[in-house]
Amino acid sequence: MLLADVATASAAVGATPARNRKVELLAACLAAAGPDDVPVVAAYLSGELPQRRTGVGHRSLADLPGPATDATLTVTEVDGAFDRIAGCAGAGSATERRRLLADLFARASAGEQRLLAGLVSGELRQGALTSLVTDAVAKAAGLPLADVRRAVMLRGALPPVARAALMGGSLDAFRLEVGRPVQPMLASPAVDVEDAAERLGDAAYEWKLDGVRIQVHRDGGDVRVFTRTLDDVTARVPEIVAAALALDVGTAVLDGEAIALADDGTPRPFQVTGARVATRGATSDVPLTPFFFDLLHLDGADLLGAPATGRWAALGGAVPAALLVPRIVTADAAEARAFFDAAVARGHEGVVAKSLDATYDAGRRGAAWLKVKPRHTLDLVVLAAEWGHGRRRGRLSNLHLGARDPATGGWVMLGKTFKGLTDELLAWQTERFLAIEESRNDWQVFVRPEVVVEVAFDGVQGSPRYPGGVALRFARVLRYRDDKTPAEADTIDSVRALHRR
């Protein structure tokens, strides 16, 4: 398949705001791809390179050759070129990567260069993320969307599922595999404990720990630990590996949190836990403790389709109580409120309310899990920042906050805030945003939407000023979430639901 065909489809997708039309265009492109091209085309249309890390980025796009007259590049050739670029290592590797990238761009037409630039920079502005391309795979293959989504969640990646779906139509091979991470089930925000109790009725309430989400796979004496972004951090967390090996199980897949605790058992700041997971060793200085709240597999039996109560019963038999997240089951909002207050008093984020009958819906953020915090918080994406005044002069301060729009793959602005920013954060975000700048005017800098920030706010109000029709009241920055991708940001649908309630 010619790369030009993918570039044309991508441009057409970016030119239409209609979700159904986007899916039709994506499906047509995927259906035209050959067996070897389908996984690569699916990745490209999702705005990703299969190689993930190639050693080149946005700044590498400066001073590249102009476009070729004819479009002759094939998808296979381009994928091979990025394989070679990603494989560069050792002395002179930066120069060699630059040469290979220049050779690739010299052979690309103008439309192909736009596509390649978006893939290299990680910012293909076409309004289509993996979720939309997943819909297109189902449409092109004539398969139920739920089946394709489930396969993607279990495989942890779309390209291999796309190939199986389009080439054979059978997804039976995609099952939970011990050692291969699945995308975690996520929670939607609730207004408060009473709101969660009204929506779920008799439900479980668990402490919401302010740690790092982990998924632990054990197969005999082999243990692997993954983050919520499916990155393998096994070598960095030997104490979690040891805890998993101490369990009296043969095979297991556990879902939980890793957290650094103070001497009195209260949580240390999230930055401490995050920094500990991001670096190797130092277990004696900052040890991590795992706490588990779900079990997806046990000794040959997959539990994804089992009701929550069944999974928790199996979890309780496999994991000692000291490593379980505290949980109660109640239909009494007052009892749930007391449990919530105790969690917050202990220094935790709040609670997660969970339906007793829910299966483990990997990768989805639905209504079966509801997170409740002592203050309303959202994970949003920074769209732009304004230059500060007074003591903040020369630094980017006022943030433009955007929620993810699942219907278009774009972003909906919810308001601005400069509150909660320390001098340290101001310095950090100025450097960070200038590195991902897309454009600017005299008073603001527009950036690639890739930085996730957690904000607290007092409520959601209707607003004709913003395109989503809603705005946050008194938003303030809590922290930046380097552990989350833009695809995990809260949606405009969730914000509107909060406004309705």
Side-chain angles (χ1 to χ4, degrees), residues 85 207 309 349 460 500:
I85 290 171
W207 284 7
T309 51
E349 283 194 298
V460 181
R500 288 193 298 271

Side-chain angles (χ1 to χ4, degrees), residues 3 44 64-65 68 73-74 77-79 81-82 84-85 98-109 112-113 116 120:
L3 183 67
Y44 288 178
L64 287 171
L73 282 171
T74 67
E77 288 176 316
V78 174
D79 189 47
F82 279 118
R84 291 189 292 275
I85 290 171
R98 178 75 177 173
R99 183 189 70 78
L100 291 170
L101 189 67
D103 288 347
L104 178 61
F105 270 73
R107 296 185 55 198
S109 65
E112 291 170 321
Q113 284 196 350
L116 292 173
V120 168

Side-chain angles (χ1 to χ4, degrees), residues 105-193:
F105 270 73
R107 296 185 55 198
S109 65
E112 291 170 321
Q113 284 196 350
R114 284 192 291 272
L115 173 65
L116 292 173
L119 294 172
V120 168
S121 65
E123 184 53 32
L124 186 63
R125 302 187 68 82
Q126 61 178 20
L129 297 173
T130 300
S131 60
L132 206 65
V133 182
T134 300
D135 291 4
V137 168
K139 183 177 182 65
L143 292 173
L145 177 57
D147 292 353
V148 176
R149 282 178 174 169
R150 178 178 173 79
V152 172
M153 302 315 165
L154 293 175
R155 181 59 176 81
L158 172 62
V161 175
R163 178 169 184 163
L166 289 165
M167 296 303 107
S170 175
L171 302 177
D172 292 342
F174 296 99
R175 299 184 176 92
L176 188 149
E177 299 178 37
V178 179
R180 186 190 298 279
V182 300
Q183 296 180 7
M185 186 170 176
L186 305 172
S188 297
V191 173
D192 49 33
V193 171

Side-chain angles (χ1 to χ4, degrees), residues 270-500:
F270 174 80
Q271 291 80 358
V272 174
T273 297
R276 170 65 182 80
V277 173
T279 56
R280 293 178 180 269
T283 57
S284 60
D285 295 329
V286 186
L288 295 174
T289 301
F291 289 95
F292 299 108
F293 51 74
D294 221 319
L295 184 63
L296 314 187
H297 175 96
L298 180 63
D299 291 334
D302 290 345
L303 303 175
L304 289 170
T309 51
R311 299 197 310 274
W312 296 337
L315 177 68
V319 177
L323 297 184
L324 295 176
V325 173
R327 176 192 296 123
I328 65 167
V329 175
T330 183
D332 186 344
E335 185 179 2
R337 166 60 66 177
F339 185 75
F340 169 86
D341 291 340
V344 173
R346 186 68 176 167
H348 298 294
E349 283 194 298
V351 298
V352 180
K354 297 182 177 181
S355 167
L356 302 180
D357 299 324
T359 58
Y360 192 94
D361 199 359
R364 305 292 293 171
R365 189 190 299 274
W369 288 10
L370 301 174
K371 56 186 177 182
V372 184
K373 300 183 181 182
R375 52 193 169 190
H376 301 310
T377 66
L378 290 169
D379 294 320
L380 303 174
V381 169
V382 178
L383 306 178
E386 299 174 7
W387 292 107
H389 303 282
R391 72 176 186 86
R392 295 188 175 190
R393 183 175 299 277
R395 295 182 176 182
L396 289 172
S397 176
N398 205 15
L399 306 178
H400 295 206
L401 305 169
R404 182 165 55 87
D405 187 350
T408 66
W411 306 95
V412 180
M413 187 172 172
L414 296 175
K416 308 176 185 180
T417 188
F418 55 84
K419 298 179 179 179
L421 295 171
T422 64
D423 289 342
E424 182 180 8
L425 276 181
L426 285 167
W428 177 87
Q429 71 184 30
T430 300
E431 180 179 359
R432 180 76 173 90
F433 295 154
L434 291 178
I436 58 173
E437 175 184 348
E438 287 194 319
S439 62
R440 69 168 68 190
N441 54 33
D442 291 342
W443 54 282
Q444 57 190 350
V445 174
F446 298 92
V447 300
R448 298 197 304 273
E450 59 186 47
V451 176
V452 179
V453 62
E454 183 179 5
V455 298
F457 57 99
D458 290 354
V460 181
Q461 62 188 16
S463 173
R465 180 178 180 182
Y466 295 112
V470 291
L472 303 183
R473 297 182 65 248
F474 304 112
R476 51 207 178 274
V477 171
L478 293 179
R479 55 179 168 169
Y480 283 96
R481 296 301 303 256
D482 292 336
D483 60 322
K484 292 192 175 184
T485 66
E488 296 178 280
D490 284 299
T491 67
I492 184 62
D493 296 336
S494 294
V495 178
R496 287 171 176 153
L498 286 174
H499 178 239
R500 288 193 298 271

